[in-house]
Structure formats: C-alpha cells, structure tokens
Amino acid sequence: MTAVTIFAVLDLLGTFVFGLSGAMVAIRRQLDLFGIMVLATATGVVGGTIRDILLGDTPPAVLQNLVPLAVTCAAGLCGFFFFSLIDRLNRPVMLLDAVGLGVFAVAGCQKALVFGLELPGAVLLGMISAVGGGVVRDVMAAEVPRVLHEEVYALAALAGALTYGLGLRAGLPGTYAASGAILLAFVLRVASVRFGWRLPRAPGGPR
C-alpha cells in the first residue's frame, strides 16, 4: 500500500470510530434513528472538516464525495443494530474515542505537513482534527465537552501528532511513525482513565 492509500484508510477509520462513538452517545440519550444518524455524522466528519477549512482545502472532503457520509451512516447503523453487543465493552465510548484520537491526530498532522505547514502548526492542527468531532458530539448531546474536563484527552492527541511528526523528522518510515503515534495516543487516553490521571486544577475551586 502506498502512503496516500494508508492515510486515506486511516482517515476513513477515524471517521468510522468517531461516528460510532457519536451513535453510542445518541442511543444512551434515547434519540431516535434520525438523531442517531445526525450525531454519528457530526462526530465523524467535523474534525476533518475543520482541518480542511483551516488548510484552505475547500470544499471539505465531506462535500466533495459521499464516502465520508456513507462511512458515518454505516457507523450510525452499526450502533443502532448492535448497541447491546458494543455496550458490553468496558467504557465503549472512551475506547472508540481513544482510537479516533490517535487516528485523526496522525491523519491531520500528515495532511498539514503535505500542505506545507511547519511541524508546530501541523501538530496543533492534528490535535484540533482529533478533538473537534468529540466536542461537537458532546455539545449536541448537552454534555460538557470531554476535552474541557476529562482525564488526559487533548494531550493524548497532541502527543500522538507530535510523536508522528518527530518520527518523520528522525527518518522513520511513515507507517512506523504513524503506528507508534496512534498507539501512544490510545495508550495515554486509556491509561489516564484507568489510573485517574488528571491535570492540575485550581486549588481554591470546587472538588
């Protein structure tokens, strides 16, 4: 597989897992099928859409072909028909989020580098790509976005994008750099939940 193909697959994978996480949240909020599809689609495509707009790659990919929408619709239907099976996993939304964070952080960073951004900007855009869909999902579900209060979330995406960029700078093949970066973001996110890692909070604030 060529690098272009690999990153196209990564982009679709991130779209699917984020779409599925949106569907799971919608079902728990007792939304109907239409609401499930809307939340799945918004969660799956918003991060990539923000990335494309900031890079000036317009119209965004989601408006140029039907593949991203088809992927999010498939994710929504998977959630609709297999919710009970997926829900047996421990913290399914968190696990799906962790996968999506790593995948979109790497894909966003890669596209930014292709468009000529320097490493700091590419890493930042990778993080924005990774957290954008989750923010919209939580807002639409009337929840405080996880990026604002959960254990290591945006930092996991930032670490993944930075690891990918530095890996490329060090001369690693793109597939190795991407695999290591996605794994790091996933492990950081899951470990932060498992072990209760938190960033410092205001000492005088409520607990």
Side-chain angles (χ1 to χ4, degrees), residues 109 113 116-125 161-162 164-166 168-169:
C109 182
L113 291 171
L117 265 65
E118 294 296 328
L119 184 59
V123 169
L124 181 60
L125 194 57
L162 180 60
Y164 174 71
L166 292 177
L168 292 183
R169 285 280 182 90

Side-chain angles (χ1 to χ4, degrees), residues 46-136:
V46 163
T49 300
I50 294 172
R51 174 198 64 205
D52 291 348
I53 291 173
L54 291 177
L55 288 174
D57 184 16
T58 55
V62 67
L63 300 180
Q64 295 189 42
N65 63 75
L66 294 177
V67 174
L69 290 177
V71 169
T72 58
C73 287
L77 290 174
C78 282
F80 182 81
F81 287 109
F82 303 111
F83 173 80
S84 59
L85 181 62
I86 298 170
D87 200 46
R88 292 176 188 173
L89 297 171
N90 184 30
R91 296 176 177 263
V93 173
M94 185 274 293
L95 291 174
L96 291 168
D97 247 11
V99 174
L101 278 174
V103 170
F104 263 166
V106 168
C109 182
Q110 164 65 13
K111 186 164 185 175
L113 291 171
V114 169
F115 270 69
L117 265 65
E118 294 296 328
L119 184 59
V123 169
L124 181 60
L125 194 57
M127 183 192 72
I128 292 172
S129 302
V131 304
V135 170
V136 171

Side-chain angles (χ1 to χ4, degrees), residues 5-86:
T5 303
I6 290 172
F7 281 100
V9 171
L10 283 178
D11 213 31
L12 291 179
L13 175 62
T15 299
F16 181 83
V17 295
F18 266 138
L20 188 54
S21 78
M24 296 295 289
V25 170
I27 295 168
R28 288 178 174 176
R29 285 289 186 175
Q30 299 183 320
L31 303 187
D32 61 14
L33 178 59
F34 180 75
I36 293 168
M37 302 302 282
V38 168
L39 205 58
T41 299
T43 308
V45 304
V46 163
T49 300
I50 294 172
R51 174 198 64 205
D52 291 348
I53 291 173
L54 291 177
L55 288 174
D57 184 16
T58 55
V62 67
L63 300 180
Q64 295 189 42
N65 63 75
L66 294 177
V67 174
L69 290 177
V71 169
T72 58
C73 287
L77 290 174
C78 282
F80 182 81
F81 287 109
F82 303 111
F83 173 80
S84 59
L85 181 62
I86 298 170

Side-chain angles (χ1 to χ4, degrees), residues 154-180:
L155 281 181
L158 189 65
L162 180 60
T163 298
Y164 174 71
L166 292 177
L168 292 183
R169 285 280 182 90
L172 289 178
T175 51
Y176 292 160
S179 299

